[in-house]
Amino acid sequence: MSAPVEAASTESQGGFAVSPVFHRAAQVAAGAGLGVLVLGLVQAPERALTSLLTSGFYFLCLGLGGAVFLALMYVANAGWFTVFKRIPEAFASYVPWGAVTLLALLPFVTTLYPWAKPGVMETDHLLHEKAAFLNVPFFAIRMGVMLAVWVGFTWMLRRNSLRQDVERGEPLTRKNVTVSAVFLVLFSLTFCLAAFDWLMSLEPHWFSTIYALYNVAGLLSSSVCAITVVAVLLHRAGALPRLNSSHLHDLGKLMFGFATLWAYLWFSQFMLIWYANIPEETVYFIARMHGGWEVPFYVNVVLNWALPFVLLLPRPAKMNPNHLLRVAGVLLVGRWLDLQLMVAPAHQPEGLTVGVYELAGLVGVGALFTLAVTRAVRTSPMLPVGDPYLVESLHHHT
Amino acid sequence: MSAPVLIGYFEHEAQVLAATRAVREAGHDLRDVYTPYAVHGLDDAMGLKPSRLTWVCFGAGLLGCTLALSLQLYTSVVSWPLNVGGKPFNSFPAFIPVTFELTVLFAALSTVAAFLVRARLFPGKKLQTLPRVTDDRFAIVIAPRQSPESLEAAEDLLRRHGAVATDLKEVGP
């Protein structure tokens, strides 16, 4: 191995120490947020559960997105991302925590999902027809299996990479390529199910076959944004000195691409339903394009595509860390609004409400995510010194 | 015929990068650098300004977008309104796919065309090629100022940076 790697390995012995104040604040935020949510379960159960589902899914997607990002890079034999690979790995380490936030919904399935309400199957013919799939035991089994698959594979990806710091060399990369390939296949199947089960079945009469893919686009776009934000912040804090403008350029290109993919799929879903104009399909958009949801409906497209598209179009924009932070912020807010639009109208048809319970979910689960990520960053060395692709990544030039 | 240009041939990527930078710093008139493959950092070394091709791409895309929207709007609202499935004449979402396609088509074709025009590449053009620069050699081309001293200085500079051969050549405009 050449000199830069040796020099690099000495400049990042051990992990990055997050300031104790920040750590404490995150713990307090997690406790307070989740505490308010528990209170909400008594006060306004449907709102609290909607909030937990939205925030839980949002951050679980960021965690999963980290793992999917890694897996895509491994199967593509990519090397450029190696210098900041510990960030998606840190995201992946959140998946077990995220799994717990979703498992916490299980006892309240009958409150959250209309198809699970007692007696509804007897009076609703359409739901009765779907009863073989939409029933509580099968729902719980599916959730358990999906979460177990995700926890297992994300754990393997991260463990192999951390072991490579000690063992060094190619075999563990090869192993992760295999793990990634299997994970990507299982992920696409399980994530489709997850989107159908947890989000789409909130309005169980309605269906859209592109819904899962549309959610994958949101997952990719938001996780690339989160990776960029953390990478820039760690670089500023001095923990990632080897991150250069070419790495940012590529992250910016992915951000641009995935935002556009999201818009493509969003429009594909919208236009087909709008064009066919069949009542059983349009019911979803009628609830969102009129009344209190009308403004968020249009703002959603602006935040998730129009604004990022224009802001990321020039080449220098994709290399400027400040600019990337702003655009990533827009997209991350956009993803949250997008999920709100998918989830909340089922229980809050009157319009978007951002109150204490919504914020509690966002802050509480967000703090959990922050704790998991900082823990992973703290406990593992920032540079994967055993990765054979590290040299290529250090000299990455677009 | 213009004045002859000075050509320096190099065997290694690193040498050509250093020599290019030195030629510019010494104030010589750098004409171009020829390499068998894209060399990272050469744009920087040559002091090239960011490509203006992106603006052609953006403008053409905008033009395609506007044309597509206005054509559809004109045909289906102004010129020949048709009731299709009870939809309003101005059915914006239905216009989007065509608009997208035309935007991409205009942007892509115009960019390629602008590149060919700017690089003066067209069918039947006679090209002068330097030996081996599409294979395993790098070449720096300098347009020296008229005085013999400056020619000598430039040649000396290329040699010092590892040029394996130098050559004077008459080129077309």
Side-chain angles (χ1 to χ4, degrees):
Chain A
M1 284 272 171
S2 59
V5 179
E6 294 308 325
S9 73
T10 48
E11 71 196 14
S12 71
Q13 283 297 332
F16 171 65
V18 185
S19 91
V21 181
F22 180 79
H23 191 71
R24 194 86 209 133
Q27 281 176 329
V28 172
L34 298 178
V36 171
L37 269 194
V38 172
L39 207 70
L41 281 179
V42 187
Q43 296 276 319
E46 288 178 350
R47 261 183 79 186
L49 288 170
T50 300
S51 168
L52 182 59
L53 175 59
T54 317
S55 303
F57 192 70
Y58 182 93
F59 288 103
L60 180 61
C61 279
L62 287 188
L64 262 181
V68 172
F69 181 88
L70 283 174
L72 287 173
M73 295 299 144
Y74 273 117
V75 295
N77 274 330
W80 67 277
F81 76 108
T82 307
V83 69
F84 62 86
K85 145 179 167 186
R86 286 286 133 86
I87 297 170
E89 280 173 16
F91 284 16
S93 79
Y94 168 75
V95 172
W97 304 42
V100 173
T101 62
L102 277 150
L103 285 172
L105 291 171
L106 267 188
F108 309 102
V109 166
T110 49
T111 320
L112 194 56
Y113 295 100
W115 52 263
K117 290 207 164 42
V120 75
M121 290 296 177
E122 282 75 50
T123 54
D124 193 319
H125 180 65
L126 254 176
L127 290 191
H128 186 72
E129 291 289 316
K130 296 182 182 181
F133 189 79
L134 287 180
N135 59 72
V136 179
F138 192 27
F139 180 87
I141 292 172
R142 288 197 301 267
M143 185 187 257
V145 171
M146 292 184 285
L147 292 175
V149 167
W150 297 345
V151 169
F153 275 89
T154 49
W155 178 77
M156 273 194 280
L157 272 177
R158 182 155 183 266
R159 183 209 49 183
N160 283 344
S161 170
L162 291 181
R163 262 178 47 195
Q164 204 172 34
D165 282 357
V166 187
E167 294 177 22
R168 306 212 167 202
E170 212 179 327
L172 281 166
T173 299
R174 295 231 173 277
K175 209 175 209 168
N176 259 354
V177 172
T178 315
V179 173
S180 298
V182 179
F183 172 64
L184 283 176
V185 173
L186 290 178
F187 165 79
S188 41
L189 296 174
T190 49
F191 193 75
C192 280
L193 267 186
F196 291 158
D197 270 14
W198 305 344
L199 307 181
M200 204 162 88
S201 84
L202 284 162
E203 284 154 89
H205 290 150
W206 179 78
F207 55 90
S208 158
T209 43
I210 208 171
Y211 194 81
L213 199 53
Y214 161 55
N215 258 290
V216 172
L219 170 143
L220 290 170
S221 149
S222 63
S223 50
V224 166
C225 287
I227 289 170
T228 312
V229 169
V230 176
V232 171
L233 293 181
L234 282 177
H235 179 68
R236 294 230 168 117
L240 260 183
R242 295 315 187 93
L243 189 81
N244 64 34
S245 63
S246 292
H247 299 122
L248 289 182
H249 190 196
D250 277 352
L251 283 169
K253 283 187 262 184
L254 287 178
M255 226 187 252
F256 181 83
F258 287 140
T260 304
L261 175 69
W262 177 92
Y264 181 76
L265 294 172
W266 180 92
F267 186 71
S268 300
Q269 174 173 291
F270 172 76
M271 197 194 67
L272 289 185
I273 291 174
W274 172 86
Y275 220 125
N277 210 6
I278 303 168
E280 62 176 6
E281 291 179 347
T282 50
V283 58
Y284 180 84
F285 284 108
I286 285 171
R288 283 157 179 81
M289 289 173 74
H290 302 282
W293 285 103
E294 189 181 354
V295 176
F297 179 79
Y298 292 106
V299 170
N300 188 27
V301 187
V302 174
L303 292 185
N304 275 306
W305 177 68
L307 208 54
F309 181 84
V310 175
L311 290 177
L312 286 178
L313 210 44
R315 188 168 183 260
K318 294 190 271 287
M319 300 167 122
N320 178 341
N322 285 323
H323 191 73
L324 282 179
L325 277 187
R326 279 192 295 269
V327 179
V330 169
L331 276 165
L332 286 169
V333 173
R335 168 70 173 159
W336 181 82
L337 186 66
D338 193 30
L339 276 178
Q340 283 288 324
L341 273 157
M342 286 185 229
V343 173
H347 290 293
Q348 296 153 14
E350 66 286 347
L352 176 67
T353 9
V354 183
V356 65
Y357 297 124
E358 285 72 26
L359 291 177
L362 193 63
V363 170
V365 184
L368 268 188
F369 179 76
T370 312
L371 284 173
V373 170
T374 46
R375 193 187 122 88
V377 168
R378 196 175 63 237
T379 52
S380 49
M382 222 35 231
L383 268 191
V385 286
D387 193 307
Y389 280 116
L390 183 60
V391 181
E392 177 182 331
S393 182
L394 289 176
H395 295 108
H396 182 50
H397 192 291
T398 53
Chain B
M1 272 293 160
S2 60
V5 293
L6 175 67
I7 305 162
Y9 293 98
F10 293 83
E11 302 256 277
H12 301 288
E13 185 182 315
Q15 288 173 339
V16 93
L17 278 173
T20 307
R21 205 164 270 128
V23 164
R24 274 206 315 129
E25 276 161 14
H28 296 293
D29 182 6
L30 179 70
R31 195 50 90 68
D32 213 342
V33 180
Y34 297 89
T35 60
Y37 54 87
V39 173
H40 283 306
L42 193 59
D43 285 14
D44 253 358
M46 291 173 71
L48 292 182
K49 280 178 287 195
S51 166
R52 287 170 299 172
L53 217 49
T54 53
W55 289 104
V56 174
C57 183
F58 182 69
L62 216 57
L63 179 70
C65 178
T66 318
L67 276 181
L69 276 180
S70 37
L71 179 72
Q72 290 175 92
L73 208 70
Y74 172 72
T75 49
S76 44
V77 181
V78 182
S79 165
W80 202 266
L82 275 180
N83 186 335
V84 181
K87 294 252 187 315
F89 295 134
N90 182 14
S91 284
F92 185 67
F95 298 162
I96 295 293
V98 174
T99 309
F100 167 74
E101 297 296 346
L102 269 186
T103 308
V104 173
L105 186 76
F106 267 63
L109 291 185
S110 310
T111 310
V112 174
F115 169 73
L116 293 180
V117 169
R118 187 68 189 82
R120 290 195 212 128
L121 280 171
F122 46 84
K125 183 181 179 182
K126 293 219 166 39
L127 286 169
Q128 277 183 310
T129 43
L130 300 173
R132 286 171 65 181
V133 290
T134 57
D135 181 14
D136 61 350
R137 259 194 184 180
F138 306 83
I140 293 179
V141 179
I142 303 172
R145 271 162 262 142
Q146 293 302 324
S147 70
E149 298 84 50
S150 101
L151 188 69
E152 226 162 84
E155 193 170 347
D156 187 48
L157 187 123
L158 290 175
R159 292 263 180 214
R160 264 189 289 123
H161 280 89
V164 286
T166 53
D167 191 11
L168 272 178
K169 206 169 188 158
E170 295 277 341
V171 289

